[in-house]
């Protein structure tokens, strides 16, 4: 079955440590995204990538880094510079990043999420 | 800052009552999408609206896109306990490639 796999599902980190969240998709999607969700709030965009070896900052990129070396993979590193990293992190993908407004190409498929807690 | 707002933030209804959530953008949107997130789950795509004034229905759910393409609504007729969750709208403001999500409306349905 095609889908998006995020790991780990739960992660605990000590302050000052970097941590990397994995996101893998086998949907043959070009675009991939990372969103952060805090309790009772909406999804805020961290980074997105429209194509391999290219990515753009979202609204809250500070303290995060990403790479897109393969089409299937878009890992997110939460660095020690992120002041409040405890949150639910959601990875998503789409066929493209919204170029074709009348098609379903920018419909997002989400992974199950990774819940990060900083101790 | 947040460009897509949703109201209400939370709604508690009795099973069988209707429910509506509203989505408003400060800028024109090329399209609007709606997602549902069950408690403990991840957002799942419901529908996309593209045309000004468009109305789409999915069983008890009715979705509208405003004439100015700056607002949208989701109406659920005769809610059921399976409707419980948070409903998000998401749009792509002009000049932006990625979707911007609204803050969501959490729906609780009392049996």
């Amino acid at each position: 079955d095609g889908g998006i796999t995020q790991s780990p599902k739960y992660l605990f980190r000590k302050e000052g440590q970097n941590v990397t969240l994995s996101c893998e998709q086998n949907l043959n999607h070009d675009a991939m995204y990372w969103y952060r969700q805090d309790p009772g709030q909406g999804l805020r965009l961290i980074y997105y990538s429209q194509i391999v070896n290219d990515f753009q900052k979202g609204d809250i990129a500070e303290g995060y880094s990403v790479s897109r070396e393969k089409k299937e993979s878009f890992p997110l590193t939460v660095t020690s510079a992120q002041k409040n990293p405890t949150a639910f992190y959601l990875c998503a993908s789409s066929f493209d990043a919204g170029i074709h407004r009348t098609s379903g190409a920018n419909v997002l498929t989400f992974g199950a999420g990774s819940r990060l807690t900083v101790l | 800052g947040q460009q897509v707002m949703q109201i209400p933030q939370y709604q508690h209804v009795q099973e069988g009552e209707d429910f509506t959530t509203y989505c408003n953008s400060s800028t024109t949107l090329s399209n609007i999408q709606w997602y549902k997130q069950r408690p403990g789950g991840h957002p799942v795509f419901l529908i996309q609206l593209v045309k000004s004034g468009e109305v789409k229905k999915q069983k008890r759910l009715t979705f509208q896109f405003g004439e100015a393409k700056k607002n949208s609504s989701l109406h659920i007729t005769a809610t059921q306990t399976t409707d419980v969750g948070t409903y998000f709208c998401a749009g792509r403001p002009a000049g932006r490639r990625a979707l911007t999500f609204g803050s969501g409306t959490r729906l609780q349905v009392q049996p």
Side-chain angles (χ1 to χ4, degrees), chain A residues 37-80:
Chain A
Q37 185 174 31
D38 293 285
Q41 297 192 27
L43 283 67
R44 291 184 289 167
L45 182 66
I46 305 173
Y47 268 99
Y48 67 101
S49 167
Q50 298 175 73
I51 198 166
V52 175
N53 292 321
D54 183 60
F55 48 83
Q56 284 81 40
K57 292 182 179 181
D59 299 314
I60 55 165
E62 186 175 349
Y64 300 97
S65 66
V66 293
S67 63
R68 187 87 187 275
E69 297 176 1
K70 297 187 299 181
K71 185 175 183 178
E72 302 79 17
S73 179
F74 191 41
L76 173 74
T77 296
V78 185
T79 75
S80 56

Side-chain angles (χ1 to χ4, degrees), chain B residues 17-37:
Chain B
E17 291 182 338
D18 293 356
F19 159 78
T20 304
T21 173
Y22 300 90
C23 178
N24 294 288
S25 171
S26 55
T27 60
T28 301
L29 303 171
S30 56
N31 59 38
I32 193 98
Q33 297 177 7
W34 286 90
Y35 292 79
K36 177 183 178 180
Q37 183 176 24

Side-chain angles (χ1 to χ4, degrees), chain A residues 100-117:
Chain A
H100 307 292
R101 70 176 180 89
T102 58
S103 73
N106 65 341
V107 169
L108 300 184
T109 299
F110 283 88
S114 292
R115 192 169 298 278
L116 172 63
T117 303

Side-chain angles (χ1 to χ4, degrees), chain B residues 8-81:
Chain B
Q9 190 173 7
Y10 172 77
Q11 183 120 33
H12 188 156
V13 301
Q14 291 289 125
E15 190 171 21
E17 291 182 338
D18 293 356
F19 159 78
T20 304
T21 173
Y22 300 90
C23 178
N24 294 288
S25 171
S26 55
T27 60
T28 301
L29 303 171
S30 56
N31 59 38
I32 193 98
Q33 297 177 7
W34 286 90
Y35 292 79
K36 177 183 178 180
Q37 183 176 24
R38 293 184 187 275
H42 58 275
V44 174
F45 173 75
L46 292 176
I47 207 160
Q48 174 170 273
L49 304 170
V50 176
K51 300 177 184 176
S52 169
E54 188 171 12
V55 177
K56 285 189 176 180
K57 291 191 176 184
Q58 285 181 351
K59 296 183 181 178
R60 294 178 293 104
L61 278 60
T62 302
F63 303 84
Q64 291 188 315
F65 199 10
E67 294 290 340
K69 302 184 78 173
K70 286 187 174 184
N71 56 74
S72 181
S73 65
L74 157 59
H75 179 82
I76 302 179
T77 303
T79 53
Q80 300 174 358
T81 54

